[in-house]
């Protein structure tokens, strides 16, 4: 979703801002703009569409002089993606420019009030009220004006502000939207996420809700919402810059699929000590485990499907009931959650608005909260009682792959860890070996299926694809269908195979592709019957069995093979050929794979 950058220093600001915005493109956007301050004047350049057009318009920034500026990529919410609605927005007197990520919930009331007071609006956005409020409250001190403005705003916002009266200064404000400060040599930055900063600096400060920052080239000052100066820890980004680049692959998505063995290894290996799973970060939770009467997993999108896959292992091994709930539903469901509930909240970005709201709601009801998060220092990580980081590294493609598989790997480890600490685990060494084998098996799942591009060419013109499976295989079907539709735009639906006869089978016709997950031995025979049923109605079946499953091999039209594994943990392997299938189908259809239309990487609005 929207991305923000800010720069102040001794080099030209515009090229730095444009470079930062390019790094944020992956978040999803439909217009972009920059505002740069030079000799007491702010100049604004905006375009509808891609950053490339903004680069063209400004000669890659060369035609915009000045050493201080802010930039923005906008994912339209209030008002169409037009140049007028693109950020930065200017105050009527031209002294202030503002960029904003988030939603101002009370903007209608504020807009009416400001119009009554004579302010003229140029856009349909909720954001524009902010810049007029700042102008209204400004009496010679930007910080005071920002505090007064923030006190009037309800909703979520990360703001970047410049004022022509204060050359060389950029201001950042955060409330429920990500914002990170970058500390350089005689230059300072802010950005929505670290990918926009790593080319310049590895020293960062994570702003928290209600905090303000005032940055000049050689100074950073941070204040709380009452204006009291505070000091904050400087964190070091440890991952490699190359991790956020394509490294010879056509798309980030393919690179990230191929990185999964390494990402799962980085997530699993450090947590296995002396043949046991150990999470030092959960030491405080262990004594509370016997009191847990149920586990609720909540998340959005693929992270939710990771929860669906992890639920089976948690329930089977810990013998604790596990519910999975979409965060956007849970937050409004008056949930039956109390101090005996362990809430596991899953998020790659740690900034998904509904996930954060569900976490807050459950905390307020007394749940113990554990976050499974990839982005260090993100909102979900800072709100939860306990955080386990997946170690996937930066994920750039909108459609998650290594983010999802590392989430499942953590859930499997949690299942083993909790069960062992509760004294409910008999076969710990075998399960730990299975966990350690996951990276190798994911690699095998890639190597064993060179036919994926050919299968993609066979299926890419399909009108609809059906994914079926039972139990753990059903969880994989859900994510497989989501991957397919989000990047190839082909209608794809997942069904629990046992549900086919209750309606979906009416849709099966001659040559209709059905993708059948058949790795779970406890239900394999049942899924085989479903394969036979759809085949007898003309379906083409692409099955994913363990490689020596002869019965499935002879029943299906096409095959993708899964290396042998414990069925409880196999979803994390089964999904990999389906990610590749979605990728190659989308490629055959000429889709914008890394930035699918209408989607955003990090959904920071409700
Ligand atoms: C968006 C992304 C998905 C992701 C979901 C949840 O829809 O496109 O790939 O699964 O948000 O994101 P999170 O960062 O909370 O895991």
């Amino acid at each position: 979703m929207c991305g923000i950058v800010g720069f102040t220093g001794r080099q030209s600001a515009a090229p730095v801002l444009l470079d930062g915005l390019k790094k944020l493109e992956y978040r999803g956007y439909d217009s972009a703009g920059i505002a740069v301050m030079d000799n007491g004047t702010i100049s604004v350049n905006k375009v509808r569409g891609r950053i490339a057009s903004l680069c063209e318009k400004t000669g890659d920034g060369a035609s915009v002089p000045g050493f201080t500026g802010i930039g923005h990529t906008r994912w339209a919410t209030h008002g169409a993606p037009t140049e007028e609605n693109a950020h930065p927005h200017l105050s009527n007197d031209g002294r202030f420019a503002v960029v904003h990520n988030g939603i101002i919930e009370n903007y209608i009331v504020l807009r009416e009030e400001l119009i009554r007071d004579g302010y003229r609006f140029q856009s349909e956005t909720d954001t524009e009220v902010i810049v007029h409020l700042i102008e209204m409250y400004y009496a010679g001190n930007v910080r005071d004006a920002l505090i007064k403005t923030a006190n009037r705003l309800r909703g979520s916002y990360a703001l970047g502000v410049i004022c022509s009266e204060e050359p060389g200064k950029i201001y950042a404000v955060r409330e429920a939207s990500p914002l990170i400060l970058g500390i350089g040599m005689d230059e300072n930055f802010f950005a929505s996420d670290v990918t926009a900063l790593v080319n310049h600096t590895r020293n960062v400060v994570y702003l928290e809700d209600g905090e303000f920052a005032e940055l000049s080239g050689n100074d950073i000052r941070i204040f709380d919402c009452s204006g009291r100066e505070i000091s904050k820890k400087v964190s070091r980004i440890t991952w490699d810059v190359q991790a956020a680049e394509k490294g010879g692959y056509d798309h980030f998505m393919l690179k990230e699929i191929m990185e999964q063995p390494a990402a799962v290894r980085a997530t699993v290996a450090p947590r296995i000590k002396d043949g046991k799973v150990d999470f030092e970060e959960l030491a405080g939770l262990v004594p509370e485990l016997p009191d847990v009467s149920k586990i609720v997993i909540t998340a959005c999108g693929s992270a939710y499907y990771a929860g669906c896959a992890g639920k089976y292992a948690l329930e089977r091994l810990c013998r604790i009931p596990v519910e999975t709930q979409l965060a956007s539903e849970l937050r409004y469901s008056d949930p039956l959650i109390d101090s005996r509930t362990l809430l596991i909240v899953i998020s790659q970005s740690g900034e998904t608005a509904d996930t954060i709201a569900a976490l807050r709601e459950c905390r307020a009801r007394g749940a113990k909260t554990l976050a499974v998060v990839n982005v260090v220092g993100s909102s979900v990580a800072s709100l939860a009682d306990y955080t386990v980081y997946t170690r996937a590294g930066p994920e750039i493609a909108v459609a998650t792959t290594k983010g999802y598989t590392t989430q499942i790997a953590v859930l499997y480890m949690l299942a083993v860890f909790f069960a062992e600490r509760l004294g409910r685990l008999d076969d710990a060494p075998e399960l730990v070996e299975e966990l350690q084998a996951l990276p190798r098996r994911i690699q095998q799942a890639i190597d064993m299926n060179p036919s994926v591009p050919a299968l993609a060419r066979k299926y890419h013109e399909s009108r609809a694809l059906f994914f079926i499976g039972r139990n753990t295989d059903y969880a994989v079907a859900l994510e497989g269908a989501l991957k397919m539709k989000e990047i190839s735009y082909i209608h794809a639906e997942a069904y629990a195979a046992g549900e086919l006869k209750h309606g979906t089978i009416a849709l099966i016709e001659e040559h209709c592709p059905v993708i059948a997950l058949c790795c779970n031995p406890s239900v394999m025979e049942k899924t085989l019957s479903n394969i036979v049923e759809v085949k007898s109605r003309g379906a083409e079946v692409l099955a994913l069995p363990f490689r020596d499953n002869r019965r499935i091999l002879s029943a299906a039209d096409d095959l993708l093979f899964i290396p042998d594994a414990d069925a409880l943990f196999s979803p994390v392997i089964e999904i990999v050929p389906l990610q590749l299938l979605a990728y190659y189908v989308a490629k055959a259809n000429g889709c914008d794979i890394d930035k699918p239309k209408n989607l955003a990487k990090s959904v920071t609005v409700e």
Side-chain angles (χ1 to χ4, degrees):
M1 299 223 132
C2 305
I4 288 180
V5 291
F7 171 78
T8 176
R10 290 189 188 165
Q11 52 175 320
S12 275
V16 179
L17 296 172
L18 291 169
D19 178 63
L21 292 180
K22 281 186 202 152
K23 297 286 185 304
L24 298 179
E25 278 192 291
Y26 78 97
R27 296 166 68 91
Y29 73 105
D30 35 44
S31 55
I34 54 172
V36 176
M37 184 155 52
D38 186 41
N39 279 328
T41 323
I42 295 175
S43 66
V44 175
N45 281 280
K46 311 199 253 195
V47 294
R48 185 194 161 153
R50 295 296 180 202
I51 311 284
S53 315
L54 191 57
C55 291
E56 211 171 293
K57 186 171 182 180
T58 59
D60 287 324
S63 67
V64 186
F67 301 107
T68 308
I70 52 179
H72 190 261
T73 50
R74 174 172 186 256
W75 190 86
T77 56
H78 297 65
T82 59
E83 209 170 297
E84 293 72 39
N85 290 333
H87 304 204
H89 291 289
L90 272 180
S91 58
N92 287 164
D93 63 8
R95 283 192 295 183
F96 296 92
V98 165
V99 290
H100 166 221
N101 175 13
I103 286 194
I104 304 304
E105 287 164 5
N106 58 336
Y107 83 100
I108 292 179
V109 180
L110 293 172
R111 191 177 167 112
E112 284 166 359
E113 177 190 320
L114 286 158
I115 289 172
R116 273 198 306 276
D117 288 345
Y119 290 91
R120 293 178 316 282
F121 279 75
Q122 317 289 337
S123 77
E124 303 155 88
T125 63
D126 53 334
T127 302
E128 204 183 333
V129 297
I130 302 169
V131 76
H132 299 316
L133 283 174
I134 297 172
E135 180 184 335
M136 185 171 91
Y137 287 125
Y138 181 67
N141 183 315
V142 178
R143 202 184 330 141
D144 287 349
L146 285 178
I147 291 172
K148 287 188 178 128
T149 299
N151 283 336
R152 300 292 313 278
L153 303 176
R154 267 199 301 287
S156 59
Y157 48 88
L159 303 178
V161 180
I162 51 175
C163 169
S164 59
E165 307 280 308
E166 298 202 359
K169 279 205 179 145
I170 51 176
Y171 288 86
V173 187
R174 177 193 159 133
E175 180 64 42
S177 269
L179 205 51
I180 298 157
L181 312 180
I183 307 170
M185 292 280 284
D186 292 329
E187 55 185 22
N188 289 309
F189 311 78
F190 58 72
S192 304
D193 71 53
V194 288
T195 44
L197 301 174
V198 280
N199 271 348
H200 305 281
T201 178
R202 290 175 166 273
N203 296 327
V204 299
V205 172
Y206 295 99
L207 278 190
E208 279 163 62
D209 288 352
E211 291 178 349
F212 295 65
E214 185 180 309
L215 292 80
S216 57
N218 46 23
D219 194 23
I220 286 189
R221 300 176 69 193
I222 302 170
F223 304 88
D224 69 12
C225 52
S226 61
R228 194 172 54 90
E229 189 157 1
I230 52 174
S231 63
K232 302 264 302 176
K233 184 172 120 231
V234 177
S235 306
R236 183 104 185 125
I237 301 165
T238 49
W239 50 262
D240 202 332
V241 177
Q242 283 175 346
E245 286 169 358
K246 277 192 215 158
Y249 287 97
D250 285 351
H251 297 94
F252 279 109
M253 183 177 178
L254 185 59
K255 175 179 176 249
E256 289 161 7
I257 290 171
M258 298 305 183
E259 283 173 347
Q260 289 179 110
V264 171
R265 187 173 294 113
T267 303
V268 173
R271 271 86 182 229
I272 295 185
K273 286 172 202 130
D274 303 326
K276 286 190 174 172
V277 178
D278 190 14
F279 285 103
E280 282 164 9
E281 55 274 59
L282 301 183
L285 178 61
V286 171
E288 300 188 79
L289 286 176
D291 188 42
V292 171
S293 61
K294 75 168 172 181
I295 296 174
V296 174
I297 301 180
T298 195
C300 297
S302 295
Y304 171 72
Y305 291 145
C308 295
K311 164 189 157 87
Y312 295 95
L314 279 160
E315 234 165 28
R316 181 89 53 84
L317 301 179
C318 303
R319 312 312 296 169
I320 299 174
V322 180
E323 286 170 21
T324 49
Q325 296 213 32
L326 289 163
S328 53
E329 290 293 318
L330 176 66
R331 62 183 292 192
Y332 296 118
S333 67
D334 191 8
L336 294 174
I337 276 173
D338 59 22
S339 61
R340 298 193 64 200
T341 307
L342 172 63
L343 182 85
I344 301 182
V345 51
I346 309 172
S347 178
Q348 189 284 126
S349 64
E351 301 296 349
T352 304
D354 282 321
T355 307
I356 293 170
L359 168 57
R360 287 207 160 106
E361 180 64 40
C362 296
R363 265 183 76 93
R365 288 168 191 248
K368 307 174 216 314
T369 56
L370 190 173
V372 178
V373 179
N374 194 39
V375 177
V376 175
S378 55
S379 302
V380 169
S382 49
L383 281 170
D385 300 324
Y386 304 96
T387 298
V388 172
Y389 284 110
T390 50
R391 303 207 176 138
E395 191 179 61
I396 308 294
V398 165
T400 180
T401 52
K402 61 177 181 170
Y404 164 85
T405 42
T406 52
Q407 286 161 354
I408 304 184
V410 166
L411 294 176
Y412 291 162
M413 285 193 292
L414 288 175
V416 174
F417 177 70
F418 291 163
E420 208 262 328
R421 297 300 153 113
L422 287 164
R424 296 178 192 167
L425 200 63
D426 304 325
D427 44 1
E430 291 79 11
L431 290 173
V432 170
E433 269 170 37
E434 283 291 322
L435 291 173
Q436 286 173 307
L438 290 177
R440 191 176 71 243
R441 298 209 166 114
I442 291 172
Q443 187 62 54
Q444 286 169 342
I446 295 171
D447 298 341
M448 283 162 72
N449 291 297
S451 61
V452 175
L455 288 170
R457 285 194 293 279
K458 173 171 173 183
Y459 289 111
H460 80 108
E461 284 177 331
S462 306
R463 225 161 28 97
L465 294 160
F466 296 98
F467 290 68
I468 61 168
R470 291 167 182 256
N471 198 275
T472 45
D473 290 333
Y474 173 49
V476 183
L478 289 165
E479 172 63 4
L482 179 62
K483 270 310 69 98
M484 183 62 76
K485 67 185 137 194
E486 67 185 338
I487 59 166
S488 76
Y489 317 143
I490 296 178
H491 175 234
E493 289 304 328
Y495 291 96
E499 278 293 296
L500 276 177
K501 285 200 269 299
H502 299 290
T504 315
I505 204 157
L507 301 174
I508 302 296
E509 51 190 33
E510 205 62 29
H511 302 305
C512 170
V514 173
I515 297 171
L517 283 302
C518 352
C519 289
N520 192 314
S522 66
V523 286
M524 198 275 293
E525 291 288 337
K526 306 288 173 198
T527 309
L528 182 57
S529 313
N530 300 125
I531 291 177
V532 175
E533 281 161 12
V534 293
K535 270 196 70 66
S536 65
R537 284 158 181 84
E540 294 267 329
V541 173
L542 166 58
L544 285 84
F546 287 138
R547 67 180 143 187
D548 56 358
N549 188 333
R550 291 178 188 284
R551 305 199 45 209
I552 302 282
L553 301 191
S554 53
D557 297 287
D558 293 306
L559 292 159
L560 287 169
F561 298 102
I562 306 301
D564 293 340
D566 186 317
L568 197 56
F569 295 160
S570 64
V572 74
I573 308 163
E574 289 170 60
I575 192 61
V576 175
L578 293 183
Q579 295 167 341
L580 286 167
L581 184 69
Y583 172 81
Y584 283 107
V585 167
K587 195 168 181 192
N589 288 347
C591 300
D592 190 353
I593 295 178
D594 285 335
K595 298 191 282 292
K597 67 175 184 227
N598 302 338
L599 298 185
K601 180 74 185 155
S602 166
V603 180
T604 52
V605 298
E606 199 178 330

